[in-house]
Every structure is written in structure tokens, then in C-alpha cells.
Amino acid sequence: MFNVEVFKMGGKIKEMMRGVNRAIDNYTSIRTHTHTHTHTQLQIMVSQETIDHVKELIAEKEIFVASKTYCPYCHAALNTLFQKMNVPKSKVLVLQLNEMKDGVDIQAALYQLNGQRTVPNIYINGKHIGGNDDLQELRETGELEDLLEPILAN
């Protein structure tokens, strides 16, 4: 008798878990839609002054990285630059957008400048490189070493 009751409860638990998973999927879908919609609105609302400020930030140092402290892709990109490629920190401007008052505006301005919504958002010598995947691909092909050569020579 006991085994039959446990079996029946197992079925109810599975059904409850399916409901929980559906709720999570719905929440994720709504959150993703809201996230995308928010960035679309930000792109429209960014002032020319903010865009000019971001252009100045990009030009401030040889390498510019817009990052977020909790982003594993940002950590990987910074690790590649600082540890694997031995770029001195003095050559890189890293903005941790989630710790900045105007971080959302900066990210929206970057989107308006280069069409990339995500972080890390990387520039080398004023040229938009892309994100971590792009950086890793450049490293694997040897192109990153070529891009960094003049920076590391100084």
C-alpha cells in the first residue's frame, strides 16, 4: 500500500514540476521581451551629448571595454587581454556599466554606435571588435596579436 501512495505522489510531483517549468519559461519569455524592448527605447532616447561622451571614452585609451561585473563573458575577455595577451591595465579603459550611474545610457549609446546590445563591448584602437566570442576568434587566428602589437610596443 505504501509503495502505491509513493508512486501516486511521484506523479503529482512531476505534474507540479511541469507547471513550475512552464511558469519559469513564461517569466523568462516576458523578461527577455521587456529587456529587448527597454534597449530599443534607450536607443531612441540617447542624447547626442551621451554619444559624443562615449566616443571620447572609446578614444581615451588604446583599448576600451564596456563590461559588467557579474558577466562571465566579460571576465573571459578581460582575462584574455590582461593574462593571456599581457596587455598592461594602463592601456585599457574598462567601464563596469552596472556600477555606474550612467551605465545604462552608455550601453544604449554603444548600441546606437555599433549595433551591439551585449557586453563585453570591445574596441581596439578605436575599431569595434565586438564581444568575447569575437575577441577569442581573433586570438585563435592570430589577428589579436597583430592588433595588439603596436599597443604592446609602446
Side-chain angles (χ1 to χ4, degrees):
M1 184 77 169
F2 177 74
N3 288 337
V4 172
E5 290 300 316
V6 169
F7 180 76
K8 286 181 182 177
M9 283 187 67
K12 289 183 189 247
I13 291 171
K14 283 182 185 176
E15 189 173 322
M16 284 176 28
M17 288 308 296
R18 278 193 286 265
V20 168
N21 286 334
R22 278 193 301 272
I24 290 170
D25 288 345
N26 288 339
Y27 172 76
T28 303
S29 174
I30 290 167
R31 187 167 177 260
T32 301
H33 175 73
T34 302
H35 179 75
T36 302
H37 183 67
T38 301
H39 279 291
T40 302
Q41 287 179 335
L42 287 173
Q43 185 243 340
I44 293 167
M45 294 172 24
V46 175
S47 69
Q48 187 60 47
E49 181 181 349
T50 301
I51 292 170
D52 292 342
H53 174 63
V54 170
K55 286 179 180 178
E56 289 170 9
L57 290 170
I58 292 167
E60 191 173 310
K61 295 200 177 184
E62 290 92 333
I63 301 173
F64 169 91
V65 181
S67 179
K68 292 187 180 178
T69 57
Y70 55 81
C71 171
Y73 304 106
C74 297
H75 291 281
L78 295 173
N79 182 58
T80 295
L81 291 170
F82 296 132
Q83 274 72 46
K84 293 180 181 171
M85 302 305 292
N86 296 313
V87 175
K89 291 188 179 187
S90 63
K91 304 276 186 177
V92 183
L93 176 61
V94 178
L95 301 181
Q96 296 295 354
L97 299 178
N98 61 305
E99 295 182 340
M100 300 173 67
K101 184 177 71 171
D102 59 348
V104 170
D105 292 334
I106 291 170
Q107 189 167 5
L110 285 165
Y111 172 68
Q112 194 158 353
L113 288 170
N114 61 44
Q116 180 181 324
R117 295 181 191 274
T118 58
V119 292
N121 202 323
I122 305 165
Y123 283 79
I124 298 178
N125 286 324
K127 179 184 176 204
H128 184 241
I129 299 302
N132 181 56
D133 288 347
D134 303 300
L135 185 71
Q136 300 307 329
E137 185 177 326
L138 289 173
R139 187 174 69 85
E140 289 169 13
T141 63
E143 292 177 71
L144 182 58
E145 200 169 319
D146 294 341
L147 286 171
L148 295 177
E149 188 176 337
I151 295 170
L152 297 175
N154 292 333

